[in-house]
Amino acid sequence: MSELLDKLNNKQREAVEYMDGPLLILAGAGSGKTRVLTYKIAYLLEQGIVKPWQILAITFTNKAAKEMKERVEALVGQVASDMWLGTFHSVCVRILKREIELLGYTRDFNIFDEIDKEKVIKEIMKKNNIDEKVYPVGLLKSEISKAKEVMKDEVQYQKDAMGDYRKEEIAKIYNMYQATLRKNNSIDFDDIIMLTVKLFLENPDRLMYYQDKFNYILVDEYQDTNKTQFLLISLLSSGTGNICVVGDESQSIYGFRGADISNILNFESEFPNAKIIKLEENYRSTKNILNAANEVIKNNKSKIDKELWTQNDDGEKLDYKTLNNEYEEVEFVVDKIDEVCRKQNQKYSDFAVLFRTNAQARVLEEVFMKSGTPYKLIGGIKFYARKEIKDIISYLKLIQNTNDNIALKRIINEPKRGIGDTALDKLDMLATESGISIFELIQNSNNLAGIRSAGNIMLFRDMMNDLIKLKDTMKVSELIKRVLKDSGYEDMLNSEGTKETEIRFDNLMEFIGVAMEFENENAENTLGDFLESIALVSDVDNLDESTEAVTLMTMHSAKGLEFENVFLVGMEEGLFPSKRSIEEDYDTEEERRLCYVAITRAKQHLYITNTKKRTLYGSTSYSIPSRFIDEIPETLLSAESLENKEGKKQNTTSSWLDSEYKRVETYISNRNRVNETVERKVRPNVGISVDSFLKNLAGTTVAPKPAASSAAQYKIGMEVKHKKFGVGIIENIEPEGDDFKLEIMFDGSGFKRLMANYTPLEILSDGE
């Protein structure tokens, strides 16, 4: 009998020992799922059930993969180093590095990040005179990503788009985008899994090879898989049937990225004879925190029957506080953190502040900075997206893959070499006509005849050729230093001598440190492997939990983490749950799952805050407490929280009155608009004069029914005319405070968002 099993509870032990086909481990928050996965792998190796290289273990972050590998090695030794363990993307890149030639690429392919992707799309639109206002780049990036998440390549997308003019135009851009990628011998992040699945579908012999190779497959965070990821593991596991997935449908929060909760809900039907084992004992949170999470999530319909329990103490009750505005909210958070640190001898790193949307981070940073409270913001400007880092990465990409025109265009005149856009456009045109890359074109000096900056281009070419010769003989960190020196980048920064350039130089030194760390952890140390590693990194991978600072992050980023004390800020309707999710039960359920995840990050104490009014996206509106607060039983709230909650109920009417008073007061500043507004909105509903209306609002205790917006006359699909933008179709209508936001696609001016009460529109025809 293995001594490994002695450290597990009965359910965990059952999950580790089960080996007879497909297994779903339903692991609730804090129930030890990572421990079970780790021990299961260790058990497979210790008992000699499989060889290390026959194990494929998939996680969702590089950080999780690294931690799991370290844990397994601590249990069974270095033998574990030969197993395949990584994220879906890193595992697929490893396969593509071996097999991608079957798909028409060469093995030295590069991976485009989101910045590269955007640059390519913009170039395509510019060359083809496509208006970004009509087809926003963000929309195109999203549409292409969504297509690839469901295995829809450009050919299939074009077929499905027939008959839909807008989709047909997007299909053309998608087609040109993929052609550009192939020309550059590059793939984007979304291609990685799609191309791996395509490889297996088109080459059954290669699929059979990997089916035989991976005798046991384990997948973490299974509730967050999308259809392409599901197809991948289904193909790989169909040989032996030995697949173990770990997940929790209550923590499925990435639907907006394509994650499909039905993968876990339908596991039994997709994998016949599957066994389900539930891990319901929570080791992380107090009873009060866990009970709050259970009470919230039980309101969802799409779930599997289970309920977390814990042997931990009851702990302190939850604190709930309503503040006047977002600044007071964050000031309360800062003061509370300082108070707890001072009185209870806790560290700043014991605290996390979780928020729903990145737009909330600005005020958080501003107040934390002014207070002097140390903090780290996860998800700010990404390190690898900084200009100086992108520049040097582009040098490395061109050294690795000389077909990468995007990398070349970025650095051929960075630092300045007198090679302007005109010369670069000429090179691009000549290369396209010749069917070769720009770098191949400039190898022949005769091709540069007539180009004014030909001499500078040849100097750049010769420098790059010298650097390319060093690729296979020099460590990556040393190669970066050589790039900085030979390219003139280091001299450029030194000559400027500003505070900003000092920061940029420090960032580059940090980048060299990243390369040195990579060299210490990887035996081969190739440039291609280094570029692959940084292309697959995420914000959470860079989270240093030893830093003595409060962590500020979105609720989505907090997945998989835990903290002694957690603040959930901005718990208001329209913010959390988000405005868009409220209209659909499916989306509201995902928001509730996100709330469940956020609550269960807390080990000892949970604080919930919201505001009476909030300014966000340039608009100020009065707030209503999130429905999720009402789903938490009052028996779990502190006495002070109950007083706050009761006071909020009593003040709901007066808050609305204050809001209405200020709104009408604004109208008075423009008499003509007030008169128009009174005739259209106030008198039909109240039947009194403006002065009487305001006086009554100031003194009444019962709120009259809010006036109907002029948007009531508008419908989706309605054809309207605007004096400036011309004729358009209303595509969507959304509430926005006391007004409504109209989303209109104008024939000549493209997509616009306009406020109903302040936009004169002529109705040309009825909508739906």
Side-chain angles (χ1 to χ4, degrees):
M1 184 67 67
S2 172
E3 293 182 2
L4 284 172
L5 305 180
D6 295 339
K7 300 177 181 179
L8 305 173
N9 67 33
N10 291 337
K11 282 295 182 182
Q12 291 173 337
R13 183 170 179 162
E14 181 185 0
V16 168
E17 288 186 297
Y18 186 81
M19 297 293 166
D20 301 324
L23 171 64
L24 167 60
I25 303 173
L26 276 175
S31 63
K33 73 174 179 64
T34 304
R35 183 182 186 85
V36 170
L37 267 180
T38 302
Y39 274 71
K40 192 170 184 71
I41 294 171
Y43 186 75
L44 285 165
L45 296 173
E46 183 197 62
Q47 298 296 307
I49 298 170
V50 292
K51 302 296 183 184
W53 54 87
Q54 294 177 311
I55 294 176
L56 171 62
I58 298 176
T59 65
F60 262 77
T61 66
N62 295 305
K63 182 173 181 285
K66 182 179 179 181
E67 289 176 356
M68 188 177 295
K69 185 176 181 181
E70 290 172 351
R71 289 193 192 188
V72 175
E73 288 180 347
L75 292 171
V76 296
Q78 285 297 313
V79 66
S81 62
D82 289 332
M83 64 181 175
W84 281 45
L85 196 162
T87 64
F88 271 103
H89 289 90
S90 65
V91 166
C92 287
V93 166
R94 191 171 175 181
I95 293 172
L96 290 174
K97 286 286 185 182
R98 299 179 174 192
E99 314 287 353
I100 200 167
E101 289 174 343
L102 293 170
L103 297 175
Y105 297 81
T106 61
R107 295 187 182 186
D108 59 353
F109 65 89
N110 283 340
I111 301 171
F112 277 15
D113 61 19
E114 288 301 301
I115 297 174
D116 297 327
K117 184 176 182 179
E118 184 170 318
K119 186 175 179 65
V120 171
I121 291 174
K122 284 185 174 180
E123 284 190 3
I124 288 170
M125 297 180 76
K126 182 179 178 182
K127 287 181 180 179
N128 293 275
N129 297 316
I130 300 171
D131 191 347
E132 282 189 37
K133 293 179 181 178
V134 179
Y135 297 97
V137 175
L139 168 69
L140 296 172
K141 285 171 59 180
S142 174
E143 193 72 12
I144 292 171
S145 290
K146 288 177 181 177
K148 293 181 178 183
E149 283 170 0
V150 293
M151 288 296 297
K152 189 180 290 187
D153 63 15
E154 67 275 26
V155 177
Q156 187 59 50
Y157 189 95
Q158 194 163 27
K159 288 180 181 177
D160 293 346
M162 290 181 65
D164 184 330
Y165 175 78
R166 189 167 174 78
K167 291 278 187 181
E168 287 177 346
E169 292 302 301
I170 294 174
K172 292 176 185 176
I173 297 169
Y174 185 6
N175 223 314
M176 289 184 280
Y177 172 72
Q178 289 302 112
T180 303
L181 286 178
R182 284 191 291 272
K183 181 181 175 182
N184 284 268
N185 191 38
S186 296
I187 63 177
D188 66 20
F189 198 75
D190 300 308
D191 281 323
I192 294 172
I193 301 175
M194 184 182 79
L195 288 179
T196 306
V197 173
K198 183 179 181 182
L199 170 78
F200 289 149
L201 293 175
E202 295 179 357
N203 301 274
D205 59 320
R206 302 318 298 154
L207 172 59
M208 190 176 298
Y209 168 81
Y210 286 99
Q211 286 175 336
D212 292 340
K213 175 177 177 56
F214 299 130
N215 197 268
Y216 210 97
I217 299 174
L218 305 99
V219 183
D220 193 9
E221 304 286 6
Y222 186 66
Q223 75 281 345
D224 291 328
T225 53
N226 60 31
K227 283 301 182 187
T228 309
Q229 292 163 340
F230 165 76
L231 183 55
L232 175 72
I233 61 174
S234 295
L235 288 169
L236 289 174
S237 65
S238 61
T240 64
N242 293 328
I243 181 169
C244 169
V245 303
V246 184
D248 177 11
E249 89 292 347
S250 294
Q251 297 186 71
S252 179
I253 60 173
Y254 294 113
F256 67 97
R257 292 183 187 169
D260 191 339
I261 193 174
S262 68
N263 287 350
I264 192 168
L265 294 176
N266 300 332
F267 185 82
E268 287 180 283
S269 60
E270 298 291 349
F271 295 92
N273 304 315
K275 183 177 179 62
I276 297 180
I277 297 175
K278 300 177 184 179
L279 305 182
E280 297 172 295
E281 182 176 1
N282 176 282
Y283 293 93
R284 176 189 300 154
S285 305
T286 63
K287 280 189 173 73
N288 284 329
I289 292 172
L290 197 60
N291 288 338
N294 283 334
E295 289 296 321
V296 169
I297 201 64
K298 77 178 187 181
N299 292 282
N300 271 6
K301 296 176 182 176
S302 300
K303 63 181 186 296
I304 300 173
D305 184 35
K306 69 178 185 305
E307 185 162 340
L308 291 188
W309 59 276
T310 183
Q311 297 183 51
N312 293 339
D313 294 337
D314 289 345
E316 298 180 62
K317 293 193 174 185
L318 284 59
D319 278 329
Y320 167 46
K321 183 78 171 176
T322 297
L323 290 306
N324 287 320
N325 56 54
E326 66 272 19
Y327 283 94
E328 287 190 17
E329 179 182 41
V330 183
E331 286 164 3
F332 166 78
V333 171
V334 168
D335 291 344
K336 181 60 70 174
I337 290 173
D338 288 339
E339 176 190 328
V340 174
C341 286
R342 188 174 63 253
K343 292 182 179 179
Q344 300 180 21
N345 198 30
Q346 295 202 37
K347 306 186 297 293
Y348 287 120
S349 56
D350 291 330
F351 293 84
V353 182
L354 309 184
F355 45 93
R356 176 61 183 84
T357 176
N358 281 311
Q360 294 169 260
R362 182 188 62 81
V363 174
L364 280 162
E365 274 206 278
E366 188 178 327
V367 175
F368 267 81
M369 199 177 297
K370 286 180 180 178
S371 71
T373 303
Y375 72 93
K376 52 191 174 187
L377 175 65
I378 308 302
I381 297 177
K382 296 178 177 65
F383 178 74
Y384 294 106
R386 296 178 186 275
K387 181 185 183 304
E388 60 275 12
I389 304 300
K390 278 289 295 179
D391 287 343
I392 302 307
I393 288 175
S394 293
Y395 273 101
L396 298 178
K397 281 186 170 183
L398 188 59
I399 292 170
Q400 173 67 13
N401 169 19
T402 56
N403 288 323
D404 193 337
N405 288 340
I406 301 303
L408 181 143
K409 289 177 184 178
R410 183 180 181 96
I411 50 117
I412 194 170
N413 199 42
E414 187 63 53
K416 302 298 182 188
R417 298 187 177 91
I419 305 173
D421 290 342
T422 302
L424 190 53
D425 288 343
K426 179 71 172 176
L427 293 176
D428 194 11
M429 182 189 71
L430 291 172
T432 300
E433 290 175 351
S434 303
I436 57 178
S437 70
I438 296 176
F439 195 76
E440 187 178 350
L441 178 83
I442 65 177
Q443 294 300 316
N444 187 341
S445 302
N446 293 331
N447 292 332
L448 305 179
I451 298 178
R452 186 177 300 176
S453 52
N456 294 333
I457 293 171
M458 286 187 280
L459 288 174
F460 169 78
R461 173 200 67 193
D462 295 342
M463 174 199 68
M464 290 304 303
N465 282 330
D466 289 341
L467 290 170
I468 289 169
K469 292 174 185 176
L470 301 173
K471 179 181 75 168
D472 298 323
T473 61
M474 187 175 278
K475 288 183 177 180
V476 176
S477 58
E478 296 300 320
L479 183 60
I480 294 172
K481 293 176 185 177
R482 188 66 177 264
V483 167
L484 287 169
K485 181 178 175 59
D486 291 3
S487 68
Y489 210 96
E490 185 176 339
D491 288 341
M492 175 189 71
L493 293 179
N494 287 333
S495 66
E496 291 180 12
T498 64
K499 184 66 178 176
E500 182 183 349
T501 54
E502 286 180 22
I503 294 172
R504 293 175 67 190
F505 192 81
D506 288 345
N507 288 335
L508 289 167
M509 294 304 101
E510 177 67 19
F511 185 52
I512 293 173
V514 170
M516 294 173 70
E517 185 177 336
F518 165 81
E519 291 160 1
N520 292 333
E521 295 179 356
N522 295 270
E524 295 183 8
N525 297 328
T526 67
L527 176 59
D529 289 339
F530 176 68
L531 289 172
E532 171 197 322
S533 71
I534 61 177
L536 301 179
V537 78
S538 70
D539 290 335
V540 178
D541 292 330
N542 293 321
L543 175 60
D544 183 359
E545 295 177 70
S546 64
T547 305
E548 187 50 42
V550 178
T551 300
L552 312 180
M553 66 200 314
T554 64
M555 295 171 182
H556 282 96
S557 297
K559 178 77 178 299
L561 303 177
E562 59 182 40
F563 302 89
E564 293 294 322
N565 312 282
V566 169
F567 287 83
L568 306 184
V569 299
M571 294 287 286
E572 299 145 21
E573 288 289 300
L575 183 55
F576 189 49
S578 68
K579 185 183 297 183
R580 289 185 181 274
S581 73
I582 291 172
E583 298 174 1
E584 298 290 340
D585 289 343
Y586 179 88
D587 292 332
T588 302
E589 289 209 350
E590 177 152 320
E591 292 284 287
R592 187 174 284 108
R593 292 193 293 270
L594 181 58
C595 184
Y596 174 84
V597 167
I599 291 173
T600 53
R601 298 313 93 195
K603 297 169 70 174
Q604 295 295 328
H605 206 124
L606 181 68
Y607 302 85
I608 298 172
T609 64
N610 53 23
T611 63
K612 294 178 182 177
K613 67 176 180 179
R614 181 180 299 274
T615 300
L616 198 64
Y617 307 118
S619 175
T620 301
S621 59
Y622 284 79
S623 308
I624 299 173
S626 169
R627 69 189 66 189
F628 302 145
I629 295 173
D630 286 333
E631 292 173 358
I632 298 173
E634 294 187 346
T635 54
L636 299 177
L637 301 178
S638 66
E640 185 179 345
S641 300
L642 290 173
E643 291 177 9
N644 172 71
K645 193 173 183 182
E646 187 61 32
K648 182 63 180 173
K649 286 180 182 176
Q650 293 175 354
N651 290 330
T652 299
T653 299
S654 61
S655 290
W656 184 88
L657 291 174
D658 288 342
S659 170
E660 196 70 6
Y661 187 90
K662 291 178 184 299
R663 182 177 66 81
V664 180
E665 194 172 43
T666 301
Y667 292 149
I668 291 179
S669 65
N670 185 324
R671 176 53 58 182
N672 291 334
R673 180 163 289 166
V674 168
N675 289 338
E676 178 185 337
T677 302
V678 170
E679 292 298 327
R680 189 176 69 247
K681 297 177 66 176
V682 179
R683 286 203 179 107
N685 287 276
V686 186
I688 54 177
S689 67
V690 175
D691 291 336
S692 299
F693 177 62
L694 292 175
K695 182 183 288 187
N696 288 345
L697 277 177
T700 187
T701 57
V702 179
K705 182 179 179 181
S709 168
S710 62
Q713 63 184 307
Y714 300 125
K715 298 177 183 178
I716 294 175
M718 184 176 277
E719 187 178 35
V720 295
K721 184 176 181 180
H722 186 279
K723 287 183 179 179
K724 179 179 178 182
F725 303 130
V727 177
I729 301 294
I730 298 176
E731 294 190 344
N732 193 31
I733 301 175
E734 287 185 6
E736 186 78 24
D738 298 323
D739 204 344
F740 282 81
K741 181 166 59 182
L742 306 177
E743 296 181 350
I744 306 174
M745 176 59 70
F746 289 99
D747 293 342
S749 304
F751 186 76
K752 303 291 180 184
R753 291 187 176 91
L754 305 171
M755 301 311 296
N757 288 338
Y758 299 96
T759 304
L761 294 171
E762 179 185 352
I763 298 174
L764 300 180
S765 67
D766 288 337
E768 57 187 18

